[in-house]
Amino acid sequence: MKSLQKGFTLIELMIVVAIIGILAAVALPAYQDYTIRAKMSEVILGMSACRTSITEVYQSGAASAMVANGWGCEVGTTQQTKYVAGVTTSADGAVTATIQNISGSVDGSLVTLIPLASAGTAATYTGGSQTLYGWLCGGAGTNVNTKYLPGSCRGM
């Protein structure tokens, strides 16, 4: 009489476990980068309030030139968020955020939003009404590895 094999052999099970282990070893680092990038998008979102305020000042025109950290939207140590330790601005409206509580590879780093007068040219605020071309995210002053920045924030 012949006996029928029922179930899997030990070698077949070991091959399946090895394949799952290899897939997990590849997927885990990619997932960690993805979670950092998602948290970084929250940092950019936290900077958007300043971006809106500065755009409004550029378009409506203040009486005189602005000063660094004088745009009224900066976040100090008393107004920290979960992922933003602080937000500062330059006299021309460049917004810089300091990152916290995301990952050891990005904590303490800076990311910037720079107003543009035209494609690739940073705006200089001199008072009066001016038109902005747009905003550059991840430009000069950003020291975060680009793989951790959201896709829309990898500079030009």
Side-chain angles (χ1 to χ4, degrees), residues 64-135:
S64 61
M66 300 297 285
V67 296
N69 295 319
W71 295 86
C73 59
E74 296 79 11
V75 177
T77 56
T78 60
Q79 300 169 323
Q80 294 176 347
T81 65
K82 185 173 182 179
Y83 301 125
V84 178
V87 174
T88 60
T89 56
S90 72
D92 293 324
V95 182
T96 303
T98 306
I99 301 161
Q100 70 177 1
N101 300 328
I102 293 179
S103 169
S105 56
V106 296
D107 286 352
S109 299
L110 304 173
V111 64
T112 59
L113 289 172
I114 302 169
L116 299 176
S118 63
T121 306
T124 304
Y125 190 75
T126 56
S129 179
Q130 295 174 248
T131 302
L132 286 180
Y133 173 79
W135 287 82

Side-chain angles (χ1 to χ4, degrees), residues 10-104:
L10 181 60
I11 196 75
E12 290 171 332
L13 291 174
M14 290 174 58
I15 290 171
V16 169
V17 169
I19 290 171
I20 291 172
I22 291 169
L23 291 175
V26 171
L28 189 60
Y31 177 74
Q32 289 172 337
D33 289 352
Y34 172 77
T35 57
I36 292 171
R37 201 169 24 255
K39 291 175 183 179
M40 286 297 297
S41 66
E42 290 189 34
V43 171
I44 305 305
L45 183 62
M47 298 167 67
S48 67
C50 259
R51 180 178 59 194
T52 302
S53 297
I54 291 168
T55 300
E56 184 178 333
V57 170
Y58 263 93
Q59 291 178 345
S60 64
S64 61
M66 300 297 285
V67 296
N69 295 319
W71 295 86
C73 59
E74 296 79 11
V75 177
T77 56
T78 60
Q79 300 169 323
Q80 294 176 347
T81 65
K82 185 173 182 179
Y83 301 125
V84 178
V87 174
T88 60
T89 56
S90 72
D92 293 324
V95 182
T96 303
T98 306
I99 301 161
Q100 70 177 1
N101 300 328
I102 293 179
S103 169

